[in-house]
């Protein structure tokens, strides 16, 4: 019984093993019939060896008949050019090459795309006896890729013309795209901006806070709104405002999209507005004090004059009274400067040629400036008529040029550059005066206080702090503007704009 049982088991095992190749062949055939891909095999004469149903269905739709084993697959209905292509592909595979080809055909208004993989088929003796082909319809995939390419092209066209800087970042915060406007804002190439390159231009004082907020946004998928400064390669600073939004796909963070606006001009305008309001307040305060102080000075001077008359013949008393009178006169001059700053001084207005005042001022200055200082003047040939006070307008030239000379002291090759020209449309022309030097320059912190009364960077005894304050008041009195552009160690440029008088004046 034991021997019989073992014999039966062996017989059963042999039957199972014998059936495995048959089952495997059936499985392979079933898989080939179930796939949507077109599968066929040809011999070295391009005759069909075998195929699946998908191939026969496509063949019938194309030629109106099914191909039987032994039939040529490149039949006479094939276009000559397509037939040459397939022969070339079959021949390459028959030589042992595995290749993939792409085909395209027009079907009405639609383009149909196919791919085909050709592989050599080997016989029992190891020689190549034919070619197997697997072809798939990839039209949907090709159309999707084409739509993506068109979408990307539209996106790039849109962002390239955007007045805002636009960027894309991955979920780790690395920049993967920067549009031309953003590169222009940073004065960098797109390659410089990719990855974390944008952070290299961030102002060191602003970087810690902004990067901390950026990390928090990345870790939590939050949006971000930040204002910060960058430092360009030429050393100039720009004020930027960035808005970043998280992008999610299927609820998961996929990256970020953001815009950046250069708000340097807006920031400068806001600074000027704040400075103007502050100067208005200071002017009102200074004017009120100066008027009251001027009244008291009048009393002091009056009694000093009377006392001098009574002290005639008493040199000791006269000397002391003269000192009181001299100090009172100096105080009166200081009050006049304060009133000029506050724009509350009463001065007559008349038509004045600003070009003539500039020429006269430069003649006076050349006689007092050091010989080591070179003066370069570019004055317009046209008269620049303004309605104002000639003495006050000349004070603008003298004060600004004197300050420029002081800034260049100690330099071997100081250059004072003075230019005056008319600018603007005919109905709103203005005289533009620029006085530039290559001196020590002014830091940003000091620039914000330049026009404050009694503020000076000069040592004690060398300045009252009223020079630029008075210039500011005179310019505002004449309806003009004054601004300064300066880089430390490279010099400063003061720009004064005063509207020209209307022809009727």
């Amino acid at each position: 019984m034991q021997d019989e049982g073992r014999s039966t088991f062996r017989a059963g095992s042999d039957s199972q093993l014998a059936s495995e190749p048959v089952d495997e062949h059936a499985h392979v055939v079933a898989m080939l019939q179930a796939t949507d891909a077109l599968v066929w095999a040809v011999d070295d004469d391009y005759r069909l060896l075998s195929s699946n149903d998908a191939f026969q269905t496509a063949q019938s739709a194309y030629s109106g008949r099914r191909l039987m084993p032994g039939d040529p697959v490149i039949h006479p209905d094939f276009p000559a050019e397509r037939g040459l292509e397939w022969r070339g592909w079959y021949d390459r595979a028959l030589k042992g090459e595995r290749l993939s080809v792409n085909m395209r055909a027009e079907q009405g208004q639609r383009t149909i795309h196919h791919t085909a993989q050709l592989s050599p088929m080997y016989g029992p003796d190891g020689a190549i006896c034919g070619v197997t082909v697997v072809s798939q319809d990839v039209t949907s995939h090709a159309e999707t890729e084409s739509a993506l390419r068109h979408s990307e092209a539209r996106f790039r066209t849109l962002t390239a013309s955007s007045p805002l800087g636009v960027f894309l970042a991955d979920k780790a915060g690395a920049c993967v795209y920067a549009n031309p406007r953003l590169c222009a804002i940073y004065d960098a190439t797109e390659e410089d901006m990719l990855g974390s390159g944008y952070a290299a231009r961030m102002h060191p004082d602003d970087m810690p806070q902004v990067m901390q907020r950026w990390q928090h946004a990345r870790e939590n998928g939050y949006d971000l709104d930040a204002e910060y400064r960058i430092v360009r390669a030429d050393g100039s600073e720009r004020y930027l405002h960035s808005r970043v939004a998280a992008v999610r796909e299927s609820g998961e963070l996929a990256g970020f999209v953001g815009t950046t606006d250069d708000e340097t001009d807006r920031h400068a305008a806001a600074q000027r507005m704040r400075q103007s309001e502050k100067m208005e307040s200071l002017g009102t305060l200074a004017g009120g004090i100066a008027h009251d102080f001027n009244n008291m000075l009048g009393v002091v001077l009056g009694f000093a004059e009377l006392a001098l008359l009574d002290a005639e013949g008493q040199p000791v008393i006269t000397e002391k009274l003269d000192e009181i009178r001299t100090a009172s006169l100096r105080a009166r001059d200081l009050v006049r400067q304060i009133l000029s700053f506050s724009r509350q001084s009463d001065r007559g207005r008349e038509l004045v040629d600003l070009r003539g005042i500039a020429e006269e001022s430069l003649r006076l200055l050349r006689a007092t400036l050091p010989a080591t200082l070179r003066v370069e003047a570019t004055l317009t040939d046209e008269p620049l008529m303004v309605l104002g006070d000639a003495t006050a307008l000349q004070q603008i030239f003298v004060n600004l040029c004197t300050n420029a000379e002081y800034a260049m002291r100690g330099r071997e090759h100081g250059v004072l550059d003075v230019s005056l020209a008319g600018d603007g449309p005919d109905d709103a022309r203005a005289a533009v005066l620029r006085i530039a030097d290559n001196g020590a320059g002014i830091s940003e912190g000091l620039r914000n206080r330049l026009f404050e009364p009694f503020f000076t960077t000069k040592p004690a005894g060398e300045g009252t702090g009223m020079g630029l304050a008075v210039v500011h008041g005179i310019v505002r009195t004449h309806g003009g503007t004054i601004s300064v552009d300066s880089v430390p160690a490279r010099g400063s440029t003061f720009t004064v704009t005063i509207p020209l008088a209307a022809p009727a004046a």
Side-chain angles (χ1 to χ4, degrees):
M1 291 295 292
Q2 291 177 349
D3 292 341
E4 183 180 355
R6 284 195 294 270
S7 175
T8 302
F9 177 77
R10 285 197 299 270
S13 299
D14 291 342
S15 175
Q16 183 180 8
L17 291 172
S19 67
E20 285 181 356
V22 176
D23 291 343
E24 183 179 357
H25 179 267
H27 291 158
V28 172
V29 171
M31 285 189 295
L32 292 178
Q33 295 295 359
T35 182
D36 292 332
L38 283 60
V39 182
W40 73 95
V42 299
D43 62 14
D44 52 4
D45 287 328
Y46 321 132
R47 293 175 301 185
L48 183 67
L49 293 175
S50 61
S51 64
N52 68 347
D53 289 342
F55 171 80
Q56 291 294 346
T57 301
Q59 178 66 33
S60 298
Y62 180 78
S63 63
R65 63 187 179 90
R66 293 175 64 88
L67 289 182
M68 302 301 293
D71 289 345
V73 294
I74 305 177
H75 49 75
D77 295 337
F78 252 52
E81 184 178 350
R82 179 55 58 88
L84 287 174
E85 279 184 335
W86 274 105
R87 286 188 177 90
W89 296 334
Y90 284 138
D91 289 343
R92 289 169 60 183
L94 288 169
K95 292 178 181 179
E97 181 181 352
R98 297 173 64 90
L99 65 150
S100 178
V101 297
N102 297 314
M103 296 165 288
R104 187 173 62 182
E106 301 299 329
Q107 191 178 83
Q109 299 295 323
R110 193 181 185 198
T111 301
I112 305 301
H113 298 264
H114 281 86
T115 63
Q117 287 77 38
L118 291 84
S119 304
M121 185 171 60
Y122 296 90
D125 58 355
I128 297 174
C129 60
V131 178
T132 60
V133 185
V134 179
S135 178
Q136 289 182 302
D137 186 339
V138 292
T139 303
S140 297
H141 181 69
E143 289 175 344
T144 301
E145 284 190 339
S146 177
L148 287 174
R149 285 194 299 270
H150 282 88
S151 177
E152 183 179 357
R154 287 193 296 270
F155 169 78
R156 289 186 175 272
T157 301
L158 177 65
T159 58
S161 59
S162 172
L164 295 175
V166 180
F167 62 91
L168 300 176
D170 61 21
K171 61 182 180 181
C175 179
V176 296
Y177 169 76
N179 76 333
R181 174 56 182 159
L182 186 64
C183 295
I185 291 174
Y186 275 78
D187 191 22
T189 63
E190 185 175 2
E191 289 73 17
D192 295 334
M193 299 294 295
L194 298 182
S196 59
Y198 59 90
R201 297 288 176 90
M202 199 169 292
H203 195 286
D205 293 343
D206 299 343
M207 181 183 291
Q209 181 182 3
V210 175
M211 296 308 291
Q212 182 179 8
R213 293 179 60 195
W214 181 216
Q215 181 180 356
H216 186 65
R218 297 198 309 269
E219 292 174 351
N220 299 279
Y222 293 159
D223 295 346
L224 177 67
D225 191 299
E227 293 185 357
Y228 55 94
R229 291 170 292 171
I230 61 170
V231 182
R232 287 178 166 180
D234 60 1
S236 62
E237 293 184 4
R238 309 295 293 178
Y239 289 80
L240 307 186
H241 186 184
S242 291
R243 300 172 180 85
V244 186
V247 178
R248 298 183 180 277
E249 294 180 359
S250 302
E252 297 293 329
L253 179 66
F256 296 88
V257 59
T259 61
T260 298
D261 194 9
D262 186 345
E263 297 198 340
T264 305
D265 293 339
R266 185 195 63 80
H267 182 271
Q271 286 286 89
R272 288 194 298 270
M273 179 62 70
R274 285 193 293 268
Q275 180 72 6
S276 177
E277 291 174 352
K278 181 170 66 174
M279 299 307 290
E280 289 281 355
S281 300
L282 283 172
T284 302
L285 176 63
I289 294 174
H291 275 301
D292 292 340
F293 188 60
N294 203 35
N295 293 335
M296 290 186 286
L297 275 179
V299 175
V300 174
L301 277 172
F303 278 100
E305 294 286 354
L306 292 175
L308 280 172
L309 292 176
D310 294 340
E312 188 174 351
Q314 302 180 52
V316 175
I317 298 177
T318 302
E319 182 181 356
K320 293 178 180 179
L321 290 173
D322 278 335
E323 289 298 328
I324 294 174
R325 181 175 178 274
T326 301
S328 299
L329 291 174
R330 288 175 181 169
R332 182 194 63 185
D333 293 338
L334 183 59
V335 168
R336 286 178 178 174
Q337 286 187 322
I338 295 174
L339 290 173
S340 294
F341 158 73
S342 65
R343 308 192 305 276
Q344 295 185 24
S345 57
D346 298 324
R347 286 178 170 172
R349 296 293 188 89
E350 59 183 358
L351 279 177
V352 180
D353 183 3
L354 206 57
R355 183 193 59 178
I357 291 178
E359 292 174 344
E360 180 181 348
S361 300
L362 288 172
R363 283 197 302 270
L364 294 172
L365 287 167
R366 282 193 173 97
T368 59
L369 294 175
T372 56
L373 185 67
R374 188 171 82 252
V375 179
E376 295 183 355
T378 306
L379 305 181
T380 181
D381 293 332
E382 64 171 320
L384 298 176
M385 307 303 294
V386 299
L387 194 62
D389 177 20
T391 303
L393 291 170
Q394 189 171 53
Q395 199 170 358
I396 295 175
F397 284 90
V398 173
N399 284 8
L400 292 180
C401 290
T402 301
N403 280 358
E405 180 273 328
Y406 186 89
M408 292 184 287
R409 287 183 185 178
R411 292 191 173 241
E412 295 182 1
H413 304 290
V415 178
L416 176 62
D417 190 349
V418 180
S419 68
L420 179 66
D423 192 22
D426 292 340
D427 58 343
R429 283 180 59 76
V432 180
L433 168 68
R434 288 186 177 88
I435 297 179
D437 64 72
N438 61 346
I442 308 167
S443 66
E444 182 179 2
L446 294 180
R447 285 202 300 272
N448 295 332
R449 301 190 60 191
L450 278 181
F451 302 110
E452 291 182 9
F454 309 113
F455 174 78
T456 179
T457 58
K458 297 177 182 178
E462 291 193 27
T464 64
M466 288 300 299
L468 289 177
V470 169
V471 168
H472 179 274
I474 294 172
V475 171
R476 293 295 299 273
T477 300
H478 288 78
T481 61
I482 181 170
S483 62
V484 58
D485 182 20
S486 182
V487 178
R490 294 175 60 180
S492 306
T493 300
F494 284 82
T495 302
V496 176
T497 302
I498 298 178
L500 297 182

